[in-house]
Amino acid sequence: MPDGPPLKAVGERLSGAGAIIARYGLVVVLAWIGAGKYVKMESRVLIEDSPLMSWLYDIFSFTALADALGTVEIAAAALIALHPVWPRLSAVGSALAVVLFLGTVSFLFTTPGVVGMFANGFPVLSAKPGQFLLKDLVLLGVSLWTLGEALQRIHRGRAGVPGPE
């Protein structure tokens, strides 16, 4: 493929498509995981072993905490999805997602069984919880990106600078 305007145009289209898939993929993941909290409590073992979060069970029952987390995840998803019409609310949803994924990424360091074995000194992640939690690094990155993009859009609106919708 030759360099120049056609390559730039293809790059811009791919970047635009990637942004849409990243944003609404994050929305689907958050909403689905949030809804799942109402039917099963997959976070219980992770939270019980977390020195940062285990105290929550001193205040809430397992079901109440799962329901609360599920509600926050669904709310974050809905707010992120509003980006085209309300970037401020989308920023709030993205900030919630950042906090949620910071919490789950911390489980990589606090949950027993994350490393399943060592191969020649290299830690091999277990399928669950290790590989299950590892994806949250990417979701944290996407959440930070959606937050940054929403904040930039808010700034452009204040400055009266037209931006892409």
Side-chain angles (χ1 to χ4, degrees), residues 83 91 94 98 142-154 156:
H83 182 265
S94 294
V98 167
V142 173
S143 299
L144 286 167
W145 171 78
T146 60
L147 176 57
E149 190 183 48
L151 292 173
Q152 288 175 343
R153 185 153 175 240
I154 293 165
R156 282 193 306 266

Side-chain angles (χ1 to χ4, degrees), residues 56-149:
L56 290 168
Y57 287 131
D58 294 337
I59 300 170
F60 302 104
S61 70
F62 296 119
T63 303
L65 185 56
D67 290 351
L69 286 171
T71 301
V72 171
E73 289 164 339
I74 292 168
L79 293 171
I80 292 167
L82 293 173
H83 182 265
V85 290
W86 285 318
R88 264 184 221 287
L89 289 178
S90 183
V92 171
S94 294
L96 284 172
V98 167
V99 170
L100 289 164
F101 289 120
L102 281 172
T104 57
V105 166
S106 77
F107 297 151
L108 280 167
F109 306 100
T110 61
T111 304
V114 168
V115 174
M117 61 183 251
F118 287 85
N120 297 321
F122 184 78
V124 178
L125 294 177
S126 61
K128 195 171 184 182
Q131 293 175 20
F132 171 76
L133 291 170
L134 192 61
K135 68 166 177 6
D136 289 353
L137 282 171
V138 175
L139 294 168
L140 173 59
V142 173
S143 299
L144 286 167
W145 171 78
T146 60
L147 176 57
E149 190 183 48

Side-chain angles (χ1 to χ4, degrees), residues 45-60:
V45 173
L46 301 172
I47 293 172
E48 282 178 328
D49 290 319
S50 170
L52 298 172
M53 295 181 216
S54 59
W55 61 271
L56 290 168
Y57 287 131
D58 294 337
I59 300 170
F60 302 104

